Amino acid sequence: MASLSVHSDRLEIHLTRTERTLALRRDSIVVQRENIRSVIITEDPWIWLRGIRSPGSMIPLVLAAGTWKFHGGKDFVSIKRHRPAVVIDLVDEEFARVILTSQHAADFVDSLKLPVEPMPAEPTC
């Protein structure tokens, strides 16, 4: 599984050799922290896939690794089986979304310490 390094100014996603091979990618993914819009944990990462694989590898419901292109941009995916995953929505980055399976998803979200946006007030009639 990819290892995630949280720094004060950036998030680094270091892919294993196998993940780089399957994703047809040479480098790690580096994201500036100010460009992270939201992060959630999902039990079913497969429902978050959008678009078509280009380039990358996929065995449905077993493995997905690489770039998924869709009408509005592209996502990076590294999903294995039905394991919990982190979905990171981004702005002004190479990818619009990064989806990664992770055994430490909750710890990763806590380490980001993203500001919590208040719920909008309910309208009064």
Side-chain angles (χ1 to χ4, degrees):
M1 284 188 203
S3 65
L4 305 168
S5 300
V6 179
H7 300 277
S8 61
D9 61 336
R10 69 192 182 285
L11 165 65
E12 295 179 1
I13 302 167
H14 302 282
L15 304 172
T16 64
R17 181 178 299 217
T18 303
E19 288 171 324
R20 286 194 313 266
T21 301
L22 291 171
L24 301 173
R25 185 172 179 88
R26 291 184 180 181
D27 302 324
S28 298
I29 299 169
V30 179
V31 174
Q32 297 304 310
R33 283 185 67 150
E34 69 247 11
N35 294 339
I36 298 174
R37 183 173 30 181
S38 67
V39 179
I40 66 162
I41 299 171
T42 181
E43 293 297 319
D44 186 7
W46 296 98
I47 64 172
W48 291 88
L49 287 179
R50 57 186 176 181
I52 58 171
R53 175 180 42 92
S54 178
S57 304
M58 182 173 176
I59 301 171
L61 302 177
V62 175
L63 170 86
T67 301
W68 260 247
K69 292 183 180 177
F70 63 99
H71 181 65
K74 57 186 181 174
D75 296 340
F76 182 80
V77 176
S78 181
I79 300 172
K80 294 173 191 80
R81 302 205 183 267
H82 286 286
R83 296 181 181 161
V86 178
V87 180
I88 307 167
D89 280 318
L90 306 167
V91 293
D92 300 328
E93 288 287 342
E94 177 183 3
F95 299 106
R97 181 181 289 161
V98 176
I99 307 169
L100 303 167
T101 54
S102 175
Q103 295 174 347
H104 308 288
D107 294 334
F108 166 68
V109 172
D110 288 342
S111 70
L112 279 176
K113 297 180 182 157
L114 293 176
V116 177
E117 294 183 18
M119 295 289 290
E122 298 221 5
T124 57
C125 294

